[in-house]
Amino acid sequence: MYFDPVEALERDALAQLQTDRLRATVERAAKSPFYAKRLAEAGLSAASVTSPEDIRKFPLTGKDDLRSNYPYGFLTCDRRELVRLHASSGTTGNPTAVLYTRKDLEQWAALVARCMYSVGMRKGDVFQNIAGYGLFTGGLGIHYGAEWLGCLTIPAGAGNTKRQIKLIQDFEVTALHIIPSYALYFGSVLEKEGIRPEDFPPRIALIGAEPHTDEARKRIEQLLGLRAFNSYGLSEMNGPGVAFECTEQSGMHIWEDAYIVEVIDPVTLEPVPEGQVGELVLTTLTREGMPIIRYRTRDLTRLLPGQCACGRTHRRIDRISGRADDMLIIKGVNIYPMQVEQVLMTMPEVGQNYLIIIEREGYLDQLRIKVEIQDEYFVEDMRGLRSLQEKIAHKLHDEILITPRVDLVQRGTLPQSEGKAKRVVDARETN
Amino acid sequence: MYFDPVEALERDALAQLQTDRLRATVERAAKSPFYAKRLAEAGLSAASVTSPEDIRKFPLTGKDDLRSNYPYGFLTCDRRELVRLHASSGTTGNPTAVLYTRKDLEQWAALVARCMYSVGMRKGDVFQNIAGYGLFTGGLGIHYGAEWLGCLTIPAGAGNTKRQIKLIQDFEVTALHIIPSYALYFGSVLEKEGIRPEDFPPRIALIGAEPHTDEARKRIEQLLGLRAFNSYGLSEMNGPGVAFECTEQSGMHIWEDAYIVEVIDPVTLEPVPEGQVGELVLTTLTREGMPIIRYRTRDLTRLLPGQCACGRTHRRIDRISGRADDMLIIKGVNIYPMQVEQVLMTMPEVGQNYLIIIEREGYLDQLRIKVEIQDEYFVEDMRGLRSLQEKIAHKLHDEILITPRVDLVQRGTLPQSEGKAKRVVDARETN
């Protein structure tokens, strides 16, 4: 029933496993130049750990720590033991580099395979990986997981939608990995090609690598005729495979045998109560080359209370509602892009793409939202369009408390990325 | 001294190994729909094989056979045993699809690792894979080989030259995989950035995936300050790892424990004498999912006579001089693009890029060659330029027997691809 019995381990045993692994992680981390210093300064060592809660004694680690200790400051072993490097795509300054030993790659692949198994993928599935390969962990990370599970893996990469469709049809692909914004676009291409969702072979899509709403997920499921499962990861914690929805689709199990999970207030840095949104903080428990203690992910989510019906004991996080850095402040109101998506994706008139633009008018910031409209609603009837415009603005106001300007545009006119979508444009500088 | 003792196996023992493996291959191939029929029609079976030379009894297999038996016609096993698909990038009709079992992937990775070892790469090397990942075998094929060998593998992918340079410098990369045309461009960027070849960390470059001359290789070696080794493979035969130069740099050893090599006349289909150029024909000896018997590669080369000083007993092929489909016929003369490159790359005045254009003038085809010129030669002295133009045209005439038009252009003005270079443009249709 589970890929690994650890998924249903009793909480007590899981706490013991976490304690043992945290102790080993601290011991190992102390071999790196960065943590040797940091732990010594704080007077902490493996002996400081007697329960998973002792994690709170440790100082937080941030992206800046990774950057300023680039390239090898977090390394705990001989460089000759390394077999992989992944790096963030930042173009200025030092990238964030993550280093893996052979054992790290194996454990990562097993974690990803576990996620895939939990949504019903099995050996014999034909799996198309529609994700950019290379330094981005989403490509190779998912790829190794699928091979570990024994799927026929098609390393399709991003882009060339027609060719993707041909491969899916010819090889009767049963499962996909795809970025949500590209999945929405993919759905509109299927419509245009006259391929009905029920004739589209895959039954499963893994969607991740960018925040998205449950409304976007439901739309992807309808457009592609499959079930879509939310995937969470970040390269600092290996990449994909950190947390994943099971078939219950009610939150993502975060694999607590591999990570200690905390949710903190990003300002006070104190833990928030269960169920309350805050910044996700993660500690690696099995990483060999480059363990990281209390990493501030900048991702906003909450721990979901209660037990999951699937029987797995590992706690669940809610879908990522944004990044701590994503928040827009318009007219004094805090707005997250996901709130806008949530409203738009419930409206049948709205197409698969939208763009949030922040403008400056005089001394005031204004929000403009460009929305692609389904063909059947894009008629030459000015009154109809005007009324749709008002309806969208009104619904957005209910959610974000300010009334944005809404531009309706024709399908296919907004910029479409094959990688992560750029949902927000800040036009204040150029105005 | 060798990665695998089989590299120096006595020829007699190698012949016995080939015989055994060919027999097993024929037996296995007969399980595929395509070969079941083809072998039965020819009255052939494993029993027909008593020596490697018996390969000539078998019918040839062409790219069209792969296309018309797409997707599963060559498959010898249950689809559930497959873990990988690679496909050609053709945009019309069926692609050529190659299917791999887990054992196929392992054997492929071991072959690539063997190639890397033979040019001096070892565990502990830092290896940057500057190649497109995804369906193209050059990316993942080389990647798995480097990990198999135990190198720190940086899956950099193609493009973004400045970022590539930063990673190479920061991680003290010792070995690269790079397409020759991109390597030439890379060299010109190093020049522009003021990075001297002797300060550029890598000591080894694996260059392959497109035909190139020894002159281009020497130029790459000078520009990047390293030794460059020729790599040969094609997806139908796994991908890279079929044949590779050793440190002697005098021809590529073709791994005869994994492939039977023949060189035939592409018209008569008869074997050509050793040392004479013809079309390379290969048979897989260890492939499980999709064995291929006597595959016409369309690649032109010759078997080099004699023993290699490195001690390996596997025969060597010369660098690929072109593809059977590449030959241009201009004014009744057969010309291969590699002949043009060979002339240009020996001239210090010539930069790193060129383009061959076939034009029609009246009823006659004409050859025009656009050549990038080094900055110091690109002066406003018309007489100097005119004389350089004549010099290039004259040298080209000596090699290809006709006098092309030569256009001198400034560095960086010809189209620069991050993938395989497009060296020939046929402008006859649009004239």
Side-chain angles (χ1 to χ4, degrees):
Chain A
M1 182 174 174
Y2 306 116
F3 186 76
D4 188 326
V6 79
E7 295 169 52
L9 201 62
E10 299 277 343
R11 293 293 310 176
D12 283 357
L14 195 52
Q16 188 54 53
L17 184 68
Q18 287 198 319
T19 307
D20 295 346
R21 290 187 170 174
L22 179 56
R23 225 179 264 135
T25 294
V26 172
E27 201 171 310
R28 175 127 202 148
K31 295 182 185 167
S32 72
F34 173 76
Y35 281 118
K37 187 158 173 284
R38 166 97 31 132
L39 294 173
E41 280 168 3
L44 292 163
S45 71
S48 321
V49 178
T50 57
S51 81
E53 285 69 39
D54 287 331
I55 192 69
R56 289 191 206 142
K57 296 178 184 169
F58 289 80
L60 293 157
T61 302
K63 205 180 185 71
D64 287 345
D65 293 319
L66 285 174
R67 285 221 176 101
S68 51
N69 290 278
Y70 170 93
Y72 288 119
F74 277 73
L75 192 62
T76 64
C77 62
D78 188 317
R79 291 183 202 176
R80 292 166 47 90
E81 298 310 313
L82 298 173
V83 290
R84 179 82 66 78
L85 176 148
H86 281 284
S88 66
S89 50
T91 45
T92 55
N94 286 335
T96 311
V98 186
L99 300 157
Y100 305 74
T101 64
R102 196 175 295 279
K103 198 175 143 215
D104 288 333
L105 287 190
E106 284 169 7
Q107 288 182 328
W108 180 19
L111 280 174
V112 173
R114 183 199 294 187
C115 297
M116 292 171 163
Y117 191 95
S118 78
V119 300
M121 284 175 61
R122 295 290 181 275
K123 175 177 171 167
D125 266 304
V126 183
F127 176 70
Q128 191 153 319
N129 192 15
I130 308 180
Y133 278 66
L135 290 168
F136 166 58
T137 50
L140 285 168
I142 292 283
H143 177 96
Y144 274 62
E147 274 185 8
W148 189 274
L149 188 57
C151 300
L152 168 49
T153 305
I154 306 180
N160 201 339
T161 311
K162 286 197 185 164
R163 186 162 182 239
Q164 301 273 8
I165 293 173
K166 179 167 171 55
L167 286 170
I168 289 169
Q169 292 179 322
D170 293 348
F171 289 93
E172 297 160 64
V173 167
T174 54
L176 303 175
H177 173 227
I178 187 165
I179 284 178
S181 55
Y182 188 55
L184 288 167
Y185 171 72
F186 211 96
S188 68
V189 175
L190 287 186
E191 270 184 350
K192 216 182 317 176
E193 300 280 315
I195 300 167
R196 292 180 307 172
E198 56 270 34
D199 298 332
F200 190 60
R203 66 176 201 284
I204 290 170
L206 319 179
I207 54 175
E210 55 183 14
H212 59 284
T213 57
D214 199 47
E215 288 69 24
R217 180 251 290 279
K218 287 196 181 105
R219 196 173 266 229
I220 290 167
E221 292 189 327
Q222 279 166 13
L223 287 165
L224 306 186
L226 44 68
R227 287 187 77 193
F229 299 96
N230 197 352
S231 151
Y232 176 72
L234 63 165
S235 62
E236 295 88 335
M237 295 287 121
N238 283 338
V242 174
F244 223 83
E245 279 186 332
C246 63
T247 50
E248 299 295 323
Q249 289 183 316
S250 64
M252 299 183 279
H253 292 280
I254 191 153
W255 303 120
E256 294 186 82
D257 57 318
Y259 303 96
I260 289 182
V261 52
E262 299 171 84
V263 179
I264 66 167
D265 182 307
V267 179
T268 67
L269 307 182
E270 289 302 313
V272 302
E274 191 183 62
Q276 195 173 309
V277 171
E279 180 178 345
L280 187 66
V281 169
L282 294 172
T283 299
T284 65
L285 288 179
T286 55
R287 214 138 68 151
E288 194 176 68
M290 196 174 155
I292 303 184
I293 297 169
R294 298 196 86 200
Y295 185 67
R296 294 190 63 176
T297 65
R298 313 302 293 167
D299 288 321
L300 300 175
T301 186
R302 61 192 182 108
L303 278 167
L304 295 175
Q307 275 275 340
C308 184
C310 77
R312 288 180 183 82
T313 52
H314 298 234
R315 282 180 296 171
R316 291 163 299 154
I317 53 169
D318 202 356
R319 59 180 57 250
I320 304 302
S321 59
R323 289 178 64 80
D325 333 310
D326 265 358
M327 193 178 70
L328 311 172
I329 307 183
I330 309 284
K331 298 177 181 169
V333 181
N334 298 353
I335 298 169
Y336 285 100
M338 282 300 104
Q339 293 178 282
V340 174
E341 176 173 302
Q342 196 179 350
V343 170
L344 295 178
M345 288 296 139
T346 49
M347 300 185 67
E349 300 93 338
V350 172
Q352 317 317 345
N353 205 350
Y354 65 93
L355 188 65
I356 299 168
I357 300 167
I358 314 159
E359 301 173 326
R360 176 155 296 166
E361 213 178 78
Y363 293 101
L364 276 182
D365 287 343
Q366 298 278 356
L367 204 59
R368 180 184 294 274
I369 307 200
K370 294 199 178 213
V371 182
E372 286 192 6
I373 296 302
Q374 301 285 19
D375 291 345
E376 57 270 39
Y377 295 95
F378 207 90
V379 285
E380 296 294 323
D381 166 14
M382 279 310 286
R383 245 176 78 187
L385 283 179
R386 179 71 53 89
S387 111
L388 176 55
Q389 217 169 14
E390 277 163 15
K391 182 173 160 193
I392 294 173
H394 186 75
K395 277 190 179 269
L396 283 169
H397 177 270
D398 287 351
E399 174 66 31
I400 60 177
L401 306 180
I402 63 168
T403 304
R405 292 179 182 165
V406 173
D407 295 349
L408 305 183
V409 302
Q410 213 163 349
R411 250 171 50 149
T413 52
L414 291 177
Q416 178 64 46
S417 161
E418 285 165 356
K420 298 192 190 190
K422 189 165 167 55
R423 295 297 201 196
V424 180
V425 168
D426 189 339
R428 284 174 295 188
E429 297 303 302
T430 54
N431 264 10
Chain B
M1 182 175 175
Y2 306 117
F3 186 75
D4 187 328
V6 79
E7 295 169 52
L9 201 62
E10 299 277 342
R11 292 294 310 176
D12 283 357
L14 196 51
Q16 188 54 53
L17 184 68
Q18 287 198 319
T19 308
D20 295 344
R21 289 187 171 174
L22 179 56
R23 225 179 264 135
T25 293
V26 172
E27 201 171 309
R28 175 125 202 151
K31 294 181 186 168
S32 73
F34 173 76
Y35 281 118
K37 187 158 172 285
R38 166 91 38 126
L39 294 173
E41 280 168 6
L44 291 163
S45 71
S48 320
V49 177
T50 57
S51 81
E53 286 69 37
D54 287 329
I55 192 67
R56 291 193 204 140
K57 297 178 183 170
F58 289 80
L60 293 158
T61 301
K63 203 178 186 73
D64 287 346
D65 293 319
L66 285 175
R67 285 221 176 101
S68 51
N69 290 276
Y70 170 93
Y72 289 119
F74 277 72
L75 193 62
T76 64
C77 62
D78 188 317
R79 292 184 202 174
R80 292 166 45 90
E81 298 309 313
L82 298 173
V83 291
R84 179 81 66 80
L85 175 148
H86 280 284
S88 66
S89 51
T91 45
T92 56
N94 286 334
T96 311
V98 185
L99 300 157
Y100 305 74
T101 64
R102 196 176 293 280
K103 198 175 143 215
D104 288 333
L105 288 190
E106 284 168 7
Q107 287 182 328
W108 181 20
L111 280 173
V112 173
R114 183 198 293 186
C115 298
M116 291 170 165
Y117 192 94
S118 78
V119 299
M121 284 174 61
R122 295 291 182 273
K123 175 178 171 167
D125 266 305
V126 182
F127 176 70
Q128 190 152 319
N129 192 14
I130 307 180
Y133 278 66
L135 290 167
F136 166 58
T137 50
L140 284 168
I142 292 283
H143 177 95
Y144 274 62
E147 273 185 9
W148 188 274
L149 187 58
C151 299
L152 169 48
T153 306
I154 305 180
N160 201 339
T161 310
K162 286 199 184 162
R163 187 162 181 239
Q164 302 272 7
I165 294 173
K166 178 165 172 58
L167 287 170
I168 288 168
Q169 291 179 322
D170 292 348
F171 289 93
E172 297 160 66
V173 167
T174 54
L176 302 176
H177 172 226
I178 187 165
I179 285 178
S181 55
Y182 188 54
L184 288 168
Y185 171 72
F186 211 96
S188 67
V189 175
L190 287 186
E191 271 185 350
K192 215 184 316 178
E193 300 280 315
I195 300 166
R196 293 180 307 172
E198 56 270 36
D199 298 332
F200 189 60
R203 68 177 199 282
I204 290 171
L206 319 179
I207 55 175
E210 55 182 17
H212 58 283
T213 57
D214 200 48
E215 288 71 22
R217 180 251 290 278
K218 288 198 181 105
R219 196 174 266 230
I220 290 166
E221 292 188 327
Q222 279 166 11
L223 286 165
L224 305 186
L226 42 68
R227 286 187 78 191
F229 299 95
N230 197 353
S231 150
Y232 176 72
L234 63 164
S235 62
E236 297 88 334
M237 296 287 120
N238 283 337
V242 174
F244 223 84
E245 278 184 333
C246 63
T247 49
E248 298 295 323
Q249 291 183 314
S250 66
M252 298 183 279
H253 291 280
I254 192 153
W255 303 120
E256 295 187 80
D257 57 319
Y259 304 95
I260 289 182
V261 52
E262 299 171 85
V263 179
I264 66 168
D265 182 308
V267 179
T268 66
L269 308 182
E270 289 302 313
V272 301
E274 193 183 61
Q276 194 173 310
V277 171
E279 180 180 345
L280 186 66
V281 169
L282 294 172
T283 298
T284 66
L285 288 179
T286 55
R287 215 143 61 157
E288 194 176 67
M290 195 174 157
I292 304 183
I293 297 168
R294 297 197 86 200
Y295 186 68
R296 294 189 63 175
T297 65
R298 314 300 295 166
D299 287 321
L300 300 176
T301 186
R302 61 192 182 107
L303 278 167
L304 295 174
Q307 275 275 341
C308 183
C310 76
R312 289 180 182 82
T313 52
H314 299 235
R315 282 180 296 171
R316 290 164 299 154
I317 53 170
D318 202 356
R319 57 182 57 251
I320 304 301
S321 59
R323 290 178 63 79
D325 334 308
D326 266 358
M327 192 178 70
L328 310 172
I329 307 183
I330 309 284
K331 298 178 182 170
V333 181
N334 299 353
I335 299 169
Y336 286 100
M338 282 302 102
Q339 293 179 284
V340 173
E341 176 172 303
Q342 198 181 346
V343 170
L344 295 178
M345 289 296 139
T346 49
M347 301 184 67
E349 300 94 337
V350 171
Q352 318 317 346
N353 205 350
Y354 66 92
L355 188 65
I356 300 168
I357 300 167
I358 314 158
E359 301 172 326
R360 177 156 294 166
E361 213 178 78
Y363 294 101
L364 275 183
D365 287 342
Q366 297 278 356
L367 204 59
R368 180 184 293 274
I369 306 199
K370 295 198 177 212
V371 182
E372 285 192 6
I373 296 301
Q374 301 283 20
D375 290 346
E376 57 268 41
Y377 294 96
F378 207 88
V379 286
E380 297 295 321
D381 165 13
M382 279 310 286
R383 246 176 80 188
L385 283 179
R386 180 72 52 87
S387 111
L388 177 55
Q389 216 169 13
E390 277 164 14
K391 180 173 163 195
I392 294 173
H394 187 74
K395 278 191 177 266
L396 282 168
H397 177 271
D398 287 350
E399 173 66 30
I400 61 177
L401 307 180
I402 62 169
T403 304
R405 293 178 182 165
V406 174
D407 295 348
L408 305 184
V409 302
Q410 213 163 349
R411 248 172 50 148
T413 53
L414 291 177
Q416 178 64 45
S417 161
E418 285 166 355
K420 297 191 191 192
K422 190 165 167 53
R423 295 297 200 195
V424 180
V425 168
D426 189 340
R428 284 175 296 191
E429 298 303 302
T430 54
N431 265 10

